[in-house]
Amino acid sequence: MLRALAAAHGPLMFHQSGGCCDGSAPMCYPAGEFRTGGSDILLASLAVAGVAEPVPFWMSTSQYELWRHTRLIVDVVEGRGSGFSLEAPEGVRFLIRSRLV
């Protein structure tokens, strides 16, 4: 999915705010479309085979405090989320799976 989105939209980024409803799901945007600030943490830059640039994954500090003791896995599943995430029109949605470390 990230390869298809990068081909269609160019460099990508993720942000997870921890808000209610779909705000707790990772949202994928064209890089720079979502403005991060002092209350966001860059967790990682995801290396994706076939995608030229790493995909930065940002999370709000408040969400990070809840999940900092887990390993986070970005997954994609069938179904529609809401919001402005790029995958929404494709009939899939991103979600986070977590494991305690």
Side-chain angles (χ1 to χ4, degrees), residues 4 8 12 32 34 38 41 51 53 76 92:
L12 305 171
F34 185 91
I41 297 170
V51 175
E53 297 182 32
V76 64
V92 296

Side-chain angles (χ1 to χ4, degrees), residues 1-13 28-33 84-90:
M1 178 52 45
L2 288 175
R3 285 189 289 276
L5 293 175
H9 301 282
L12 305 171
M13 67 178 288
C28 184
Y29 302 100
E33 283 287 315
F84 302 105
S85 195
L86 290 174
E87 81 285 359
E90 306 300 324

Side-chain angles (χ1 to χ4, degrees), residues 33-68:
E33 283 287 315
F34 185 91
R35 295 183 67 109
T36 58
S39 63
D40 297 305
I41 297 170
L42 177 61
L43 291 183
S45 290
L46 309 175
V48 179
V51 175
E53 297 182 32
V55 180
F57 191 101
W58 293 85
M59 183 179 280
S60 69
T61 302
S62 60
Q63 186 76 3
Y64 174 75
E65 288 302 318
L66 297 171
W67 285 10
R68 65 187 175 127

